[in-house]
Amino acid sequence: MTDDLPHDRHRPRSLAAVGDEAGGTARDPATGHARPPRREFKARGSFVVRCDGCQLPELNCLCPFKVKASSRVQVWLVTHPLEHHKPTNTGRLIRDVLPTTRVFTWYRTVPDTELLALLADERYAPFVVFPDDQPDYADRVTTIEAVRGARESRIPVLILLDGTWRQARRIFRKSPYLDALPVLPLRTDRLTRYRLRKPASAAHLCTAEVAAELLAQAGEADAAEVLNDYFDVFNDSYAASRRDARLLSPTPAMERLKARASAADVTGDAR
């Protein structure tokens, strides 16, 4: 996560903090009661030495390739609590690229008050991204043309439910404040390039891939290109680190991001 964002209270905690919760020191946000002790949380790779900036193994740090992009379409992540602590989570890549991205932790009984306030703010036109595979909300389903049209007078927002498919479906069904929002299904022939988790289907894209694809469809091609390249670098770097291998030669995505960073530095110096 970057340090220049104003929403630090949504910043994911360290793995050590998760261990404290797992040990029973945390309290349930709904009741205030202490949670019962549980087995200490140990994520896969929890003993790997990681970069504090990108959380990737230091062997293949992602930080040199962080490049900002601008977009008239914002992304808000409603993230399952367990997803914050997975180093393979790709939602955080969106926040690295798009500074306007907001991250909200989902609790079934305690909605985030800032999220509720933003949903009521007329400046924004939020769309919850979810498949249109059930008839009970068919009347809410819309298309990407609605997102493009909203840019004329409001700020379109893609609300991504960040978690496993099962967790995302639970968030969608158990969050009444999402019930009035238009539902935007992703329509694409793109297959996932994500190699760090095994999806049920190659058509199931990870969070960063969904964001990049929808941004491109909404007319934010530059932001989509940066996010796609950043995702590819993350994918390649993490996969190599799992083999304890260092990437010795830059990939095409790395080269493009470095070129963008250099161009941004030159522009900054000129100012």
Side-chain angles (χ1 to χ4, degrees), residues 116-184:
L116 297 181
L118 288 167
L119 290 175
D121 191 328
E122 290 297 326
R123 293 176 299 169
Y124 300 105
F127 301 81
V128 59
V129 178
F130 202 72
D132 59 340
D133 57 358
Q134 297 297 322
D136 60 309
Y137 55 87
D139 60 319
R140 296 164 53 200
V141 174
T142 188
T143 64
I144 196 67
E145 284 74 19
V147 178
R148 289 197 289 261
R151 294 186 305 178
E152 298 178 7
S153 58
R154 301 169 71 190
I155 302 171
V157 177
L158 304 175
I159 298 180
L160 302 185
L161 310 182
D162 191 17
T164 65
W165 276 102
R166 183 176 180 180
Q167 290 166 346
R169 192 169 293 276
R170 179 172 171 79
I171 294 172
F172 182 80
R173 290 295 187 180
K174 299 294 184 179
S175 304
Y177 48 88
L178 300 179
D179 289 349
L181 300 183
V183 175
L184 178 67

Side-chain angles (χ1 to χ4, degrees), residues 21-43:
E21 279 203 8
T25 59
R27 293 183 177 273
D28 184 275
T31 65
H33 299 155
R35 287 176 172 149
R38 294 186 296 167
R39 179 173 57 87
E40 183 181 1
F41 180 90
K42 290 291 186 183

Side-chain angles (χ1 to χ4, degrees), residues 199-222:
S201 166
H204 289 179
L205 307 186
C206 70
T207 303
E209 289 177 305
V210 170
E213 186 67 16
L214 286 174
L215 286 169
Q217 293 180 14
E220 303 294 337
D222 190 66

Side-chain angles (χ1 to χ4, degrees), residues 31-271:
T31 65
H33 299 155
R35 287 176 172 149
R38 294 186 296 167
R39 179 173 57 87
E40 183 181 1
F41 180 90
K42 290 291 186 183
R44 179 183 299 177
S46 59
F47 297 106
V48 173
V49 178
R50 299 183 181 276
C51 169
D52 290 335
C54 65
Q55 296 303 308
L56 257 66
E58 288 185 350
L59 187 66
N60 292 293
C61 176
L62 193 63
C63 293
F65 307 102
K66 285 185 180 180
V67 176
K68 302 292 185 187
S70 60
S71 170
R72 290 170 291 175
V73 177
Q74 293 189 10
V75 177
W76 298 351
L77 298 170
V78 179
T79 303
H80 191 277
L82 295 180
E83 198 65 25
H84 283 312
H85 316 301
K86 297 177 182 178
T88 53
N89 173 266
T90 66
R92 59 196 175 91
L93 303 180
I94 305 169
R95 191 176 182 183
D96 282 347
V97 170
L98 301 176
T100 57
T101 301
R102 299 174 186 263
V103 183
F104 307 95
T105 302
W106 181 79
Y107 293 105
R108 184 180 64 83
T109 57
V110 186
D112 189 293
T113 55
E114 183 182 357
L115 174 58
L116 297 181
L118 288 167
L119 290 175
D121 191 328
E122 290 297 326
R123 293 176 299 169
Y124 300 105
F127 301 81
V128 59
V129 178
F130 202 72
D132 59 340
D133 57 358
Q134 297 297 322
D136 60 309
Y137 55 87
D139 60 319
R140 296 164 53 200
V141 174
T142 188
T143 64
I144 196 67
E145 284 74 19
V147 178
R148 289 197 289 261
R151 294 186 305 178
E152 298 178 7
S153 58
R154 301 169 71 190
I155 302 171
V157 177
L158 304 175
I159 298 180
L160 302 185
L161 310 182
D162 191 17
T164 65
W165 276 102
R166 183 176 180 180
Q167 290 166 346
R169 192 169 293 276
R170 179 172 171 79
I171 294 172
F172 182 80
R173 290 295 187 180
K174 299 294 184 179
S175 304
Y177 48 88
L178 300 179
D179 289 349
L181 300 183
V183 175
L184 178 67
L186 173 63
R187 305 197 186 283
T188 180
D189 294 327
R190 173 175 174 169
L191 300 179
T192 185
R193 303 193 304 275
Y194 190 41
R195 305 201 305 270
L196 307 181
R197 300 185 201 173
K198 186 176 181 180
S201 166
H204 289 179
L205 307 186
C206 70
T207 303
E209 289 177 305
V210 170
E213 186 67 16
L214 286 174
L215 286 169
Q217 293 180 14
E220 303 294 337
D222 190 66
E225 183 178 327
V226 174
L227 182 55
N228 269 318
D229 279 345
Y230 193 55
F231 167 73
D232 283 342
V233 173
F234 169 81
N235 210 20
D236 292 338
S237 299
Y238 208 120
S241 297
R242 280 185 168 178
R243 304 189 305 270
D244 292 324
R246 183 185 299 276
L247 292 176
L248 300 179
S249 300
T251 65
M254 289 177 175
E255 295 282 14
R256 288 191 293 269
L257 290 174
K258 293 289 279 185
R260 281 181 176 270
S262 297
D265 289 342
V266 170
T267 303
D269 291 341
R271 291 177 184 172

Side-chain angles (χ1 to χ4, degrees), residues 5-16:
L5 297 174
H7 309 290
D8 287 344
R9 71 186 184 87
H10 299 295
R11 185 188 300 274
R13 294 157 293 172
S14 66
L15 289 176

